[in-house]
Amino acid sequence: TFPLVNQPDTSILVWTTTPWTLPSNVLLATGPNIKYVKIKDGDNKFIIAKERLSAYYKNETDYEIIEELLGTDLVGLKYIPMFDYFTNKNEDFFRVVNANFVSTEDGTGIVHIAPAFGEDDYKVGQAEKLPIVCPVDAQGCFTEEVKDWAGQYIFDADDSIIVAIKEKK
């Protein structure tokens, strides 16, 4: 979850198959014409693609839809990153953008973007004129910039990154 800057009780739900890329996250991408919802779940509010709700909530009584939005409505929202390694690098980091490759086939309909890792991510970073942050060396290990896993092979860090994320909740 990525809490919104001006709405601390609301977070954007993001799903990834590559936890090791999360320390390098600089943007979140939504599909411009995808329908999103802000839901209330207990004391929390989350933004997720409407079409993906049933993948995360088995019962409609577990949440309340409080707002419906298109991906274009989310553009420009600022969020708090999961990790603070690059918070002082660029004022254009940590915001929502649209990308045409975002789908509702799986995940939450919201994609985390780390431009150094993946063709689509790279293209989004270039379109947004962002510098590339690549805290991974030629051996596939985190550099000193990612102090919590510095020197660790990226795939070996996945489990401890997941634990760190869960501990932040």
Side-chain angles (χ1 to χ4, degrees), residues 6 20 24 29 41 47 51 61-62 69 73-74 77 81 85 99-101 103-104 122-123 126-127 148 152 159-160:
N6 294 322
W20 67 268
S24 303
D41 175 352
I47 295 174
E51 195 173 319
T61 57
D62 291 342
L69 310 137
D73 298 324
L74 299 171
L77 290 178
Y85 307 121
N100 289 326
F101 65 84
S103 77
T104 56
Y122 177 79
K123 287 178 181 177
Q126 291 298 293
D148 296 306
Q152 190 170 7
D159 289 342
S160 59

Side-chain angles (χ1 to χ4, degrees), residues 14-36:
V14 178
W15 175 82
T16 185
T17 58
T18 55
W20 67 268
T21 63
L22 288 168
S24 303
N25 167 268
V26 297
L27 296 171
L28 298 178
T30 56
N33 298 311
I34 294 175
K35 292 179 183 175
Y36 293 89

